[in-house]
Amino acid sequence: MTTTSQEELFRFLEDRFACAQACTECARACATRASLVDPDGTENQELVRRKGIMCAEVCDATCRVLSEQNQVDEETIRVQVEWCRQVCLESAHVFDGHPGAERTAEACRACARACTTFLATLN
């Protein structure tokens, strides 16, 4: 293995770990945000609750896919990470309009950035 390929492998593993870690943080933030919203609240509160639950589930699933060493093919990983990136961006947008959800929106954006970085290592 050449130094360049070793460096590429280390970068791939670091980016994969960073993405999985960001997914975990985002899932935690979204689950917490969803639990704080009144289930019988306004339509906007219901949207925040649903997006929080969905984002938490997608991020959790993505973290699991990224944690499975050599059990998932690259295309499956790519599709899962891209889906996570999209859901995080959509959720961040919804959280932007909800007072008190700024940290959750930022966790979603951080996860989307980590997903984007990891996707770049797959190309």
Side-chain angles (χ1 to χ4, degrees), residues 37-51:
V37 177
D38 181 5
D40 297 322
T42 65
E43 188 175 319
N44 183 40
Q45 289 175 326
E46 178 60 22
L47 177 62
V48 167
R49 191 173 73 73
R50 282 185 292 128
K51 281 293 184 180

Side-chain angles (χ1 to χ4, degrees), residues 40-100:
D40 297 322
T42 65
E43 188 175 319
N44 183 40
Q45 289 175 326
E46 178 60 22
L47 177 62
V48 167
R49 191 173 73 73
R50 282 185 292 128
K51 281 293 184 180
I53 292 168
M54 181 177 176
C55 193
E57 289 177 353
V58 170
C59 285
D60 184 56
T62 303
C63 185
R64 282 195 312 272
V65 165
L66 292 171
S67 300
E68 295 174 1
Q69 298 290 30
N70 300 325
Q71 295 178 15
V72 181
D73 63 273
E74 185 177 318
E75 185 58 26
T76 300
I77 292 171
R78 185 184 313 279
V79 168
Q80 182 69 40
V81 172
E82 177 58 34
W83 183 35
C84 184
R85 189 183 74 78
Q86 286 291 346
V87 168
C88 285
L89 291 174
E90 290 170 11
S91 297
H93 181 70
V94 169
F95 296 141
D96 284 339
H98 188 74

